[in-house]
Amino acid sequence: MEKIAYLGPEGTFSELAATAFTKSAERLPYRDISSCLQALAKKEVDGAVVPLENTIEGSVNITLDHLVHKHDLPIVGELAIPVAQHLLVHPQNADQSMGIVYSHPHALAQCHDYLSKHLSGAEWMHASSTAKAAKEIAENPSLNRAVIANRLAAKTYGLAITAENIHDFANNHTRFVLLSTRKTQNDPSVEARPSVNRKTTIVVTLPSDYSGALHQVLSAFAWRKLNLSKIESRPMKTGIGHYFFIIDIDHAYDDVLVPGALEEIKAIGCATRLLGSYPSAVIHEENEMESTI
Amino acid sequence: MEKIAYLGPEGTFSELAATAFTKSAERLPYRDISSCLQALAKKEVDGAVVPLENTIEGSVNITLDHLVHKHDLPIVGELAIPVAQHLLVHPQNADQSMGIVYSHPHALAQCHDYLSKHLSGAEWMHASSTAKAAKEIAENPSLNRAVIANRLAAKTYGLAITAENIHDFANNHTRFVLLSTRKTQNDPSVEARPSVNRKTTIVVTLPSDYSGALHQVLSAFAWRKLNLSKIESRPMKTGIGHYFFIIDIDHAYDDVLVPGALEEIKAIGCATRLLGSYPSAVIHEENEMESTI
């Protein structure tokens, strides 16, 4: 791949994920998830990296809804990367205490315990992304603000890290997916990572609202002993109580048992759609990010 | 009930829902969902009305997470109310076209088609709630802004409605729940509404990650022909792939078959918790809101 779109600006966790997928591609920041996916749909880029789910917050609904309702962009790879948050200030202010902590509302929430203990007097101010907050502080050293962002943002915008790993939950990871409509020899390869799994993600719409329809769908997987790593309901947007399901199967699409299960689900009247069958890996610690492919 | 907390400020959809639950109680606005629930936990109020799920956006994760992780506040009633959005301006500006449309990002998104057709030149500006946007415009008539908000906000802040029902999806409803720790004779009664259902909401945590665990849970309901109106996975916050499930059963907790199903689920090693067993009703059209209890 030559060009990869990611959720910008420079220094976001999406850019961190994009570098973990491949260091050789040109990375292009887009202002929101919708623009990333549109850029790929219009073939301005060869791939797009977007967040799908966070350990703490849950699914990124806008990504799911776009993949299900708006675009037909296959998932070709997945990486779960650690969300390590740090406290950054402009290097001019490295020895001063700041009156305001500035970041994305999720990042502030993720560091709630640290902020209560060590910066209880500071005011919280919301930014539209952690990287954007870092960029603003870099450009305006006179602002009395500390920023919560990742290590890449500190490096990108030349900020000093005054406290490391200030996030409350140690197991805070975000699953990022790489979407692409074409495959070339130079593709980034999640397969090269240690302990890689194969996953298949499908969308299932039940035939009608009757008792046990979902149970019947799950039966098709259960008696084949196919493990599901996730099942999530999302609204159809047609009325309260109308849902479709997004199911992650812990097997490749060409696993001998998977096509049979999907045929069985169709036979009972469900609509199914494949979002992708792809390699998936977890990067456990932030320091493993430097040794990326 | 004498005092009910709701997600403020005055004129929000939460206040609309609170009036639909009961007109006799004093309604107290709180600045966020967390504060509403805390007020109830501290017994500052007798009940709290918070959004649980929207037809378009899906679940309100912060409400679910608070009910599961932070508080033990039973759901005692549920109403799905229609989300009808209107375009409002200060009455001084009723004949002028506004250069800015100001509202909560979800409200702007919900009116995307209308805005593209009729106000394509206008800039979008984000507010933290539809009612807050309305309040600000009421206090600052010189601002060149139209607001998207509901009819109650127009009435509360004395704004003129220049376009009605500008939301894209006709079936846009939000489920609001009433939480309360005590029951009195004068309680608001969803039971008095037409076509009321009984619902039971439980949280299920699976014993360990083995193939078909969720299938086994659903079997307990399926063979008893107990209908589930919703099943949703939420992260445990302990790592990627660790979930609990929130399940809505379309039956009362004292339905003869429900306790047996729950016993069976416990017997296979699942933890279960009751979030509430309560009457539930849908208000289909905005004009039914005037004829509330």
Side-chain angles (χ1 to χ4, degrees):
Chain A
M1 276 182 209
E2 291 181 1
K3 290 182 180 177
I4 289 189
Y6 69 92
L7 176 61
E10 288 173 58
T12 55
F13 283 100
S14 291
E15 191 185 8
L16 257 185
T19 62
F21 276 113
T22 171
K23 278 191 169 162
S24 61
E26 185 188 353
R27 297 185 297 274
L28 300 170
Y30 284 79
R31 65 176 181 152
D32 52 36
I33 288 170
S34 173
S35 310
C36 280
L37 300 179
Q38 242 157 25
L40 179 59
K42 287 180 185 166
K43 299 188 195 298
E44 289 169 21
V45 291
D46 312 302
V49 172
V50 288
L52 193 66
E53 183 187 13
N54 174 264
T55 333
I56 313 295
E57 307 292 338
S59 284
V60 181
N61 292 335
I62 193 159
T63 302
L64 287 177
D65 283 357
H66 269 80
L67 294 182
V68 172
H69 295 294
K70 295 212 174 166
H71 298 290
D72 191 13
L73 301 171
I75 304 172
V76 298
E78 175 181 271
L79 284 175
I81 72 164
V83 178
Q85 302 282 15
H86 310 298
L87 195 71
L88 320 180
V89 297
H90 194 284
Q92 286 181 14
N93 304 324
D95 300 325
Q96 291 171 43
S97 73
M98 299 282 120
I100 296 170
V101 186
Y102 185 43
S103 195
H104 189 275
H106 284 184
L108 289 163
Q110 285 166 3
C111 303
H112 186 270
D113 288 354
Y114 177 88
L115 295 176
S116 307
K117 262 184 225 160
H118 301 278
L119 286 163
S120 59
E123 194 188 321
W124 291 17
M125 193 179 267
H126 291 180
S128 61
S129 90
T130 55
K132 211 171 166 187
K135 189 172 183 227
E136 228 175 293
I137 291 311
E139 290 164 357
N140 302 284
S142 63
L143 290 174
N144 178 29
R145 296 184 199 167
V147 159
I148 296 172
N150 64 33
R151 202 175 293 276
L152 179 61
K155 194 175 149 195
T156 304
Y157 300 110
L159 299 181
I161 299 180
T162 56
E164 287 190 317
N165 298 312
I166 62 169
H167 48 283
D168 300 340
F169 288 91
N171 284 310
N172 194 351
H173 279 72
T174 298
R175 289 170 62 193
F176 283 89
V177 285
L178 174 65
L179 306 163
S180 181
T181 47
R182 53 175 162 173
K183 225 76 188 117
T184 67
Q185 276 219 311
N186 296 326
D187 267 8
S189 174
V190 177
E191 270 111 343
R193 293 195 169 270
S195 67
V196 66
N197 293 315
R198 297 292 310 189
K199 260 178 153 180
T200 300
T201 299
I202 58 167
V203 181
V204 176
T205 315
L206 305 182
S208 62
D209 187 28
Y210 69 92
S211 308
L214 180 61
H215 174 253
Q216 234 182 327
V217 168
L218 296 189
S219 299
F221 297 106
W223 75 260
R224 289 180 174 85
K225 297 197 175 173
L226 292 169
N227 195 37
L228 307 181
S229 53
K230 187 179 181 190
I231 169 162
E232 164 141 2
S233 58
R234 286 288 302 152
M236 298 273 286
K237 301 184 193 282
T238 53
I240 287 281
H242 304 176
Y243 302 97
F244 62 84
F245 293 87
I246 295 173
I247 295 177
D248 286 354
I249 312 165
D250 271 355
H251 301 265
Y253 187 68
D254 54 9
D255 181 305
V256 63
L257 292 169
V258 173
L262 297 182
E263 280 309 312
E264 203 168 297
I265 290 168
K266 279 179 203 157
I268 60 171
C270 294
T272 66
R273 202 182 121 207
L274 181 69
L275 289 189
S277 183
Y278 49 90
S280 164
V282 178
I283 301 176
H284 291 279
E285 301 293 338
E286 194 194 16
N287 57 22
E288 293 169 43
M289 302 286 287
E290 287 304 305
S291 61
T292 51
I293 296 162
Chain B
M1 277 180 208
E2 291 181 359
K3 289 181 180 178
I4 289 189
Y6 68 92
L7 176 60
E10 288 173 58
T12 55
F13 283 100
S14 290
E15 191 186 9
L16 257 184
T19 62
F21 275 113
T22 172
K23 278 190 169 162
S24 62
E26 184 187 353
R27 296 186 297 274
L28 300 172
Y30 284 80
R31 66 176 182 150
D32 52 35
I33 288 170
S34 173
S35 310
C36 280
L37 300 179
Q38 241 156 25
L40 178 58
K42 286 180 188 167
K43 301 188 193 298
E44 290 169 21
V45 292
D46 312 303
V49 172
V50 289
L52 193 67
E53 183 187 13
N54 174 264
T55 334
I56 313 296
E57 307 292 339
S59 284
V60 181
N61 292 335
I62 192 158
T63 302
L64 287 178
D65 283 357
H66 269 78
L67 293 182
V68 172
H69 295 293
K70 295 212 174 167
H71 299 291
D72 191 15
L73 302 170
I75 303 172
V76 298
E78 174 181 273
L79 284 174
I81 72 163
V83 178
Q85 303 282 14
H86 311 299
L87 194 71
L88 320 179
V89 297
H90 194 284
Q92 287 181 13
N93 303 324
D95 300 327
Q96 291 172 42
S97 73
M98 299 283 120
I100 297 169
V101 185
Y102 187 42
S103 195
H104 189 275
H106 283 182
L108 289 163
Q110 284 166 3
C111 302
H112 185 269
D113 288 355
Y114 177 88
L115 296 177
S116 307
K117 264 185 221 156
H118 301 280
L119 286 163
S120 59
E123 194 188 319
W124 291 16
M125 195 179 267
H126 291 180
S128 61
S129 90
T130 55
K132 210 170 168 189
K135 190 172 183 227
E136 227 175 293
I137 292 311
E139 290 164 357
N140 301 286
S142 64
L143 290 174
N144 176 31
R145 297 185 198 168
V147 159
I148 297 173
N150 65 32
R151 202 175 293 278
L152 179 62
K155 196 174 148 196
T156 304
Y157 300 110
L159 299 180
I161 298 180
T162 57
E164 287 188 317
N165 297 313
I166 63 169
H167 48 282
D168 300 340
F169 288 90
N171 285 310
N172 194 350
H173 279 72
T174 297
R175 290 170 62 192
F176 284 89
V177 284
L178 175 64
L179 306 163
S180 182
T181 46
R182 51 176 164 174
K183 234 154 138 83
T184 67
Q185 275 219 312
N186 296 325
D187 267 9
S189 175
V190 177
E191 270 110 344
R193 296 196 165 267
S195 67
V196 67
N197 293 315
R198 298 291 310 189
K199 261 177 152 179
T200 300
T201 299
I202 58 167
V203 181
V204 176
T205 314
L206 305 183
S208 61
D209 187 28
Y210 68 92
S211 307
L214 180 61
H215 174 253
Q216 233 181 328
V217 169
L218 296 187
S219 299
F221 298 106
W223 75 260
R224 289 179 173 85
K225 296 197 176 174
L226 291 169
N227 196 36
L228 307 181
S229 53
K230 187 177 183 192
I231 170 162
E232 166 142 0
S233 58
R234 285 288 302 152
M236 298 273 286
K237 301 186 194 283
T238 53
I240 286 282
H242 304 177
Y243 302 98
F244 61 86
F245 293 87
I246 295 173
I247 296 177
D248 287 354
I249 313 165
D250 272 354
H251 301 265
Y253 188 67
D254 53 9
D255 180 304
V256 63
L257 291 170
V258 173
L262 297 184
E263 280 308 313
E264 204 167 295
I265 290 168
K266 278 178 206 159
I268 60 171
C270 294
T272 66
R273 202 181 122 208
L274 181 69
L275 290 188
S277 184
Y278 50 89
S280 164
V282 178
I283 301 175
H284 291 281
E285 301 292 337
E286 193 195 16
N287 57 23
E288 294 168 42
M289 301 287 287
E290 286 304 305
S291 59
T292 51
I293 295 162

